Amino acid sequence: MFFGEEMNENDNNNLGEFTIDEWLAYVMDANKSEVGETSSSVDKVDLNLCLGGEGTSSGVERDGKRSKVGSFALDCDSLFPSAPSLESRPISERMPNSSGHYVCSISDDDGSLFIFDSSRMGVDENVSPEMDDQEIRMDLNNDLLHKVLSFLDQDSLCRAAKVCRQWRVASAHEDFWRSLNFENRKISPQQFEDMCHRYPNATQVNIIRSPAIHALAMQAISSLRNLELLTLGKGLLGKTFFQALTDCTTLKSLVVTAAILGNGFQEIAIIHDSLRHIKIVKCRVVHVYVRCPQLQTLSLKRSSMAHAVLNCPLLRDLDIASCHKLLDAAIRSAVISCLLLESLDMSNCSCVSDETLRGISSTCGNLHILNASYCPNISLESVRLPMLTVLKLHSCEGITSASMAAISHSYMLKVLELDNCSLLTSVSLDLPRLQKIRLVHCRKSVELSVRSSVLSSIKVSNCPSLQQINIVSNSLQKLVLPKQESLTSLELQCQGLLEVDLTDCESLTNSICEVFSDGGGCPMLKSLILDNCESLTAVAFSSKSLTSLSLAGCRAITSLQLACPYLEQVSLDGCDHLERATFSPVGLQSLNLGICPKLDVLKIEAPIMVLLELKGCGVLSEALIDCPLLTSLDASFCSQLKDDSLSATTASCPLIESLILMSCPSVGSDGLLSLRRLPNLTSLDLSYTFLTHLQPILNSCSQLQVLKLQACKYLTDTSLEPLYKDGALPTLRELDLSYGSLCQASIEELLACCTHLTHVNLNGCMNMHDLNWSFSVAHPYLSTTHSEDDPPPFHAEQSQRFLQYLNCVGCPNIKKVLIPLAAHFSHLSSLNLSLSANLKEVDVACFNLCFLNLSNCSSLEILKLDCPRLTSLFLQSCIISEEAVEFAISPCKMLETLDVRFCQKISHTSMGRLRTACPSLKRIFSSLVPV
């Protein structure tokens, strides 16, 4: 797109969509307009892009004021020159076009016509034509702006150029454009020549995958006298280019990628006195001759040459990897000519032999890094490379256990990689400086023995035959040996070892415990993972350093003994055959043994443990628990737990606050009486036990707040009398009597007289009949169950009740619920009567009731509510009519959620009536209409 052409709104907002051809066309126009143009009457059009010009970033002073600097837009792919300054023209010469933008035509002295349209310049449409240029740009100090822009990459500079004219000029300064990147761009030799003239100080040029790279490269080395890095590729480079390369004296680095050198069958000579780095990768050529006295690094990687002659006395780094056609003699001749060579990569050179390595070892005394991976013909026989620090031998079929003798002479070796050496059976090395060793996919390796005081990294993986590992190191901190199925012997002398992971080492035996116990060679070990080591049967660790132990999936373990005073974490998931466990002493704060269903004998000495779960240890018969800070003990379903174990536990754990003995039928009165040793006990669960009375609890647990007695079917009707007649357990707040057999009278008196209860659960009580709480303030218990001669219940004079949550789920004999205001349940906030199939009438007047659940009360017909704060009402699967629901919810001014799904008598047309009856409704759930 050029000046004067139509531009739509999207083009104006996305100037960066212009192609490199348009950019270069503008640059050439700029060259023409800059030569010899002067005017005394009109400001000239300055199209200098400031990538190679002088002084334009700070502006040119003309007649005591800043001249109008031509503007242009920079984006990731393009730079745009400005039109002549609109403000410099008289008003009469400016007129708005059809889109409202100002258009101006200017004639230069040579007759050239410039058309300026504000719509093409990114100028704000709202800016008045009379406004001075200094008023519409973000005027910053030029030095400050230059400093700010110096932190941006070139893409960001292109975007910054759109801000204003000053930023356009500043962002084009040559300091920011030393690198010219034409990769994957179509640029002609003439265009490239113009660019080189415009940027004479450029130091880097990239013309990969550009057409005619030979001509462009010739132009670059002839025009850019400061060129230091030249990157070429994806084309044909003729012999003349390499001949002319000598004249580019400033060149330091040459990169040629995927190119044809010469015509692909000629000898290429690279002769240069200043080159320090050459990289010729994936190129097609037959013979390469390099004579560069200053060259330090040379890469011929993946190129097709059959011969290479090097005359580079200072070469330090040579990469000839994957040069498959390079013969063994050619490699030997090229390498031994580089006496100062330090790094050599000859991987995937299948012709390399031990003879070449011997020649290299006798000539290149400074060789430190050698990569001979994928060289099947080398075995290192009689090879001595004493100065090596890094040796990589991946997939070398000739490397065997005999090769270790040659490697042992590399006493400076720090890194050794032996991946996929299929014939290697044994690795035994004593190298004082070895820091890293890799042994991966060596399927025949049976033994690994490494001795090095500085060894810090070992990678052993997928060596299915490995049976023995012996490691001596003072620096190794982490050892990971996963899935070594055949590993049976592990010897470690690692003073600094902190973490060990032996996951899925299925053949490890119980002797491994000696390795990681005190005196076993790992005095600082903190974390040990033995997951899925299925051959372990009796595990015993005694360690003063171990803090984390994982035995997950060790299904064969039957005995566990841990004497680790600082042990903080232990995982026994899947140890479902564990029968005896001793934790004495340990530093655990919590322990879950409920996943060990066969646990019979348990001993725990844990000074700081606060939480212990034995839930599910159904055969646990002997438990010695010495945890003075224990606050929570869950022994649910420990059916064999007897009074003596419970008594011993309460004696040694006096701080217990929560005790769960659900389904512990062997616990009797003696055990419950021992609870008097627990002054802090506030929560007790005796559900599903054979209790006949509560006297041991009443005598022992004076501070109890939560008491759960679910399914205690042997409790007599008089069991609760001490609660509501004698004022026993005055701090009790939550009582669960679900699925019990207490009579109606006992329950009614409990609710009427135990005014301090806040949570009561009566779910599934067969003897629970109508909840008719229509007693008066003067008689807070049902008159139908008391005669005038009976003494009044304890605290009968108190009319205020603190009950908040009442659950009577699934009580089949409840037919009517009546809670009037006179009952004084002013704190009741939640009432759940769901699944009470015979419930027909509900009449509730509770000021603070928020939640009422009557779902699946299939007989419900009458519903009366005087609950001004009710917010949720659930009536699923009820036969109640829509008129009854409408009448019930009318007084509920705060009701938000109503659930009437599967209510057969409520049609989809009733939703509007219900919303009218209760305007506060926000959600009505119905199976007939969408929610």
Side-chain angles (χ1 to χ4, degrees):
M1 185 174 293
F2 295 89
F3 294 121
E5 296 180 0
E6 291 297 324
M7 179 184 289
N8 59 31
E9 182 178 355
N10 291 332
D11 290 333
N12 192 36
N13 295 330
N14 297 281
L15 297 177
E17 300 298 327
F18 282 71
T19 65
I20 186 64
D21 295 326
E22 293 168 330
W23 172 28
L24 296 173
Y26 283 126
V27 171
M28 290 188 293
D29 290 342
N31 286 335
K32 296 176 183 178
S33 64
E34 283 181 344
V35 180
E37 294 182 359
T38 59
S39 175
S40 58
S41 59
V42 183
D43 288 339
K44 293 187 300 179
V45 180
D46 186 359
L47 296 180
N48 191 343
L49 294 182
C50 298
L51 297 176
E54 298 88 23
T56 54
S57 67
S58 59
V60 179
E61 296 298 328
R62 198 179 286 175
D63 297 330
K65 63 180 291 185
R66 185 189 301 272
S67 65
K68 303 297 187 261
V69 180
S71 64
F72 54 89
L74 290 171
D75 209 334
C76 300
D77 294 328
S78 56
L79 294 169
F80 305 103
S82 69
S85 173
L86 176 65
E87 291 81 11
S88 63
R89 307 302 300 157
I91 288 293
S92 60
E93 298 184 31
R94 289 175 281 167
M95 65 180 68
N97 62 10
S98 60
S99 61
H101 298 290
Y102 281 86
V103 181
C104 178
S105 61
I106 305 174
S107 296
D108 263 1
D109 295 340
D110 60 357
S112 301
L113 180 66
F114 295 88
I115 304 298
F116 170 81
D117 189 341
S118 64
S119 67
R120 292 156 178 76
M121 299 304 297
V123 178
D124 192 343
E125 300 176 18
N126 298 321
V127 176
S128 170
E130 291 85 357
M131 186 178 295
D132 187 75
D133 179 44
Q134 294 184 8
E135 295 181 302
I136 64 173
R137 59 183 173 82
M138 297 178 61
D139 198 1
L140 296 175
N141 177 276
N142 286 295
D143 293 335
L144 175 60
L145 182 59
H146 187 92
K147 181 65 175 178
V148 171
L149 296 179
S150 67
F151 292 98
L152 303 181
D153 57 24
Q154 292 186 355
D155 288 349
S156 299
L157 284 169
C158 293
R159 288 190 289 269
K162 295 181 178 181
V163 173
C164 64
R165 291 190 178 97
Q166 182 196 19
W167 283 44
R168 292 188 184 108
V169 174
S171 62
H173 195 278
E174 65 176 349
D175 288 350
F176 309 140
W177 301 91
R178 298 290 183 180
S179 175
L180 304 180
N181 188 352
F182 299 99
E183 184 173 356
N184 299 323
R185 290 174 177 171
K186 296 180 181 180
I187 179 171
S188 67
Q190 182 59 45
Q191 291 172 327
F192 185 76
E193 181 181 357
D194 291 335
M195 297 301 295
C196 290
H197 287 306
R198 183 155 292 281
Y199 312 120
N201 294 322
T203 59
Q204 300 180 15
V205 174
N206 184 340
I207 47 178
I208 291 180
R209 203 182 279 108
S210 295
I213 64 168
H214 176 83
L216 302 183
M218 293 292 290
Q219 180 63 43
I221 61 179
S222 63
S223 302
L224 304 176
R225 293 304 177 183
N226 294 322
L227 186 63
E228 297 180 359
L229 170 60
L230 179 59
T231 303
L232 311 168
K234 305 291 184 180
L236 175 65
L237 280 176
K239 192 173 183 179
T240 54
F241 164 75
F242 295 97
Q243 294 172 347
L245 198 63
T246 306
D247 298 330
C248 188
T249 57
T250 61
L251 192 64
K252 298 295 187 298
S253 301
L254 174 65
V255 179
V256 183
T257 304
I260 301 174
L261 308 186
N263 58 7
F265 300 98
Q266 297 178 345
E267 174 182 339
I268 296 301
I270 303 177
I271 302 173
H272 200 283
D273 293 336
S274 301
L275 269 175
R276 287 173 171 76
H277 309 284
I278 297 178
K279 188 175 182 179
I280 299 178
V281 179
K282 297 173 63 176
C283 292
R284 209 166 88 188
V285 64
V286 172
H287 190 178
V288 173
Y289 172 70
V290 181
R291 190 183 73 186
C292 300
Q294 301 297 322
L295 194 65
Q296 297 178 4
T297 64
L298 172 63
S299 175
L300 303 173
K301 187 174 184 177
R302 301 179 67 183
S303 295
S304 63
M305 76 284 294
H307 302 280
V309 178
L310 307 182
N311 186 356
C312 309
L314 299 182
L315 191 65
R316 298 290 195 277
D317 190 335
L318 175 61
D319 185 354
I320 54 174
S322 300
C323 293
H324 299 289
K325 295 184 179 180
L326 203 57
L327 301 178
D328 186 40
I331 294 174
R332 183 163 59 252
S333 175
V335 176
I336 63 177
S337 67
C338 306
L339 302 182
L340 300 181
L341 195 65
E342 297 177 356
S343 175
L344 173 62
D345 188 345
M346 54 196 312
S347 58
N348 275 295
C349 292
S350 56
C351 296
V352 174
S353 65
D354 285 337
E355 182 181 355
T356 294
L357 290 180
R358 284 192 289 270
I360 293 173
S361 64
S362 62
T363 305
C364 304
N366 291 326
L367 189 64
H368 297 318
I369 301 174
L370 174 62
N371 188 348
S373 300
Y374 302 94
C375 296
N377 296 325
I378 66 171
S379 64
L380 300 183
E381 181 181 354
S382 303
V383 176
R384 302 291 183 267
L385 295 166
M387 301 304 293
L388 274 186
T389 59
V390 177
L391 177 59
K392 298 182 180 181
L393 298 171
H394 296 199
S395 300
C396 293
E397 299 176 2
I399 297 298
T400 64
S401 300
S403 304
M404 297 302 106
I407 296 177
S408 296
H409 286 85
S410 300
Y411 61 91
M412 300 290 291
L413 197 62
K414 296 181 180 179
V415 178
L416 176 61
E417 299 182 4
L418 298 169
D419 296 4
N420 293 290
C421 293
S422 57
L423 299 180
L424 186 61
T425 59
S426 176
V427 177
S428 182
L429 296 170
D430 186 354
L431 296 171
R433 293 179 174 83
L434 187 64
Q435 299 176 5
K436 177 182 178 182
I437 184 170
R438 282 177 55 96
L439 198 69
V440 179
H441 290 291
C442 295
R443 298 194 171 274
K444 293 187 177 181
S445 293
V446 176
E447 180 184 1
L448 172 62
S449 179
V450 182
R451 179 182 293 269
S452 173
S453 60
V454 296
L455 184 67
S456 59
S457 175
I458 295 180
K459 174 67 174 179
V460 178
S461 178
N462 293 302
C463 299
S465 301
L466 192 62
Q467 299 177 8
Q468 302 178 17
I469 295 180
N470 188 346
I471 301 173
V472 179
S473 171
N474 292 331
S475 301
L476 187 65
Q477 295 186 352
K478 185 174 183 179
L479 178 62
V480 181
L481 302 171
K483 296 184 179 181
Q484 302 305 315
E485 296 91 345
S486 301
L487 184 63
T488 58
S489 176
L490 179 63
E491 297 182 16
L492 301 175
Q493 291 295 326
C494 303
Q495 301 300 310
L497 191 61
L498 301 176
E499 301 178 38
V500 175
D501 187 348
L502 298 172
T503 300
D504 293 314
C505 293
E506 300 175 356
S507 300
L508 283 177
T509 61
N510 297 334
S511 60
I512 194 67
C513 300
E514 300 176 3
V515 177
F516 301 114
S517 293
D518 291 339
C522 305
M524 299 181 64
L525 185 66
K526 294 185 178 298
S527 174
L528 176 60
I529 301 176
L530 295 171
D531 293 351
N532 301 314
C533 295
E534 298 184 357
S535 296
L536 297 177
T537 58
V539 174
F541 289 109
S542 176
S543 172
K544 293 182 175 62
S545 62
L546 196 63
T547 61
S548 177
L549 173 64
S550 180
L551 297 168
C554 297
R555 300 186 181 277
I557 294 180
T558 58
S559 175
L560 176 64
Q561 295 183 10
L562 299 179
C564 307
Y566 297 102
L567 186 66
E568 298 176 354
Q569 297 179 354
V570 62
S571 175
L572 300 173
D573 294 343
C575 298
D576 47 15
H577 287 77
L578 185 63
E579 298 176 359
R580 303 176 65 87
T582 300
F583 302 84
S584 179
V586 291
L588 297 170
Q589 291 188 345
S590 64
L591 178 62
N592 183 1
L593 293 174
I595 51 182
C596 305
K598 294 186 178 182
L599 187 63
D600 180 26
V601 179
L602 173 64
K603 179 182 178 182
I604 300 178
E605 181 185 347
I608 62 173
M609 182 176 290
V610 296
L611 175 63
L612 176 60
E613 291 192 26
L614 304 175
K615 184 177 182 179
C617 297
V619 297
L620 183 63
S621 60
E622 183 180 342
L624 179 59
I625 302 173
D626 185 3
C627 305
L629 299 183
L630 192 68
T631 60
S632 177
L633 173 60
D634 185 349
S636 303
F637 303 101
C638 294
S639 57
Q640 303 300 319
L641 192 65
K642 296 182 173 55
D643 288 346
D644 55 349
S645 295
L646 181 58
S647 298
T649 299
T650 58
S652 58
C653 308
L655 300 182
I656 291 180
E657 299 175 0
S658 175
L659 178 60
I660 302 177
L661 298 173
M662 183 173 63
S663 295
C664 295
S666 297
V667 174
S669 297
D670 293 340
L672 295 179
L673 286 173
S674 70
L675 300 183
R676 68 182 61 185
R677 301 191 185 103
L678 305 178
N680 298 325
L681 185 64
T682 57
S683 178
L684 178 61
D685 189 346
L686 294 172
S687 302
Y688 296 91
T689 57
F690 298 150
L691 283 177
T692 59
H693 58 88
L694 300 180
Q695 201 59 45
I697 301 172
L698 301 177
N699 295 338
S700 305
C701 309
S702 59
Q703 301 299 318
L704 205 60
Q705 297 179 9
V706 178
L707 178 59
K708 297 184 179 181
L709 300 171
Q710 291 187 39
C712 293
K713 296 183 180 295
Y714 295 95
L715 283 176
T716 63
D717 292 337
T718 60
S719 300
L720 299 180
E721 287 186 359
L723 296 181
Y724 55 81
K725 286 187 176 182
D726 303 329
L729 303 181
T731 60
L732 190 65
R733 295 294 179 266
E734 182 175 342
L735 179 62
D736 193 341
L737 298 172
S738 300
Y739 309 104
S741 58
L742 295 176
C743 67
Q744 172 82 6
S746 297
I747 294 175
E748 289 177 342
E749 292 184 352
L750 176 74
L751 294 175
C753 302
C754 292
T755 60
H756 53 280
L757 290 177
T758 60
H759 295 67
V760 176
N761 292 330
L762 299 170
N763 304 321
C765 291
M766 299 294 295
N767 296 329
M768 189 71 177
H769 298 284
D770 294 353
L771 293 178
N772 187 352
W773 297 345
S774 57
F775 39 79
S776 65
V777 177
H779 299 281
Y781 58 97
L782 290 177
S783 59
T784 58
T785 60
H786 294 274
S787 66
E788 296 181 356
D789 298 330
D790 291 335
F794 185 76
H795 290 326
E797 71 280 0
Q798 297 182 6
S799 60
Q800 186 70 14
R801 294 166 178 81
F802 293 93
L803 186 64
Q804 299 177 18
Y805 297 89
L806 177 62
N807 296 317
C808 299
V809 178
C811 295
N813 295 318
I814 295 181
K815 296 181 180 180
K816 181 178 180 180
V817 174
L818 176 59
I819 308 179
L821 289 175
H824 293 284
F825 283 95
S826 59
H827 293 275
L828 187 64
S829 62
S830 175
L831 177 60
N832 192 343
L833 298 166
S834 60
L835 296 171
S836 298
N838 294 314
L839 181 61
K840 292 184 177 182
E841 180 180 352
V842 174
D843 186 350
V844 178
C846 292
F847 181 75
N848 284 309
L849 189 68
C850 298
F851 176 91
L852 177 59
N853 191 349
L854 299 172
S855 297
N856 294 286
C857 295
S858 54
S859 301
L860 184 65
E861 297 177 353
I862 301 173
L863 179 60
K864 299 178 181 179
L865 300 177
D866 185 6
C867 306
R869 295 189 178 181
L870 187 68
T871 58
S872 300
L873 175 60
F874 294 87
L875 297 170
Q876 280 191 50
S877 303
C878 294
I879 63 171
I880 191 170
S881 65
E882 60 185 59
E883 292 81 6
V885 175
E886 182 181 0
F887 173 76
I889 66 176
S890 296
C892 303
K893 303 303 182 183
M894 299 180 66
L895 186 64
E896 297 181 353
T897 301
L898 175 63
D899 190 343
V900 291
R901 284 176 288 186
F902 311 109
C903 292
Q904 300 178 1
K905 294 184 179 180
I906 299 179
S907 64
H908 67 279
T909 59
S910 304
M911 300 302 107
R913 291 180 56 185
L914 296 178
R915 291 187 182 276
T916 302
C918 185
S920 62
L921 272 175
K922 296 180 179 179
R923 294 169 294 274
I924 299 181
F925 296 99
S926 172
S927 58
L928 301 176
V929 295
V931 177

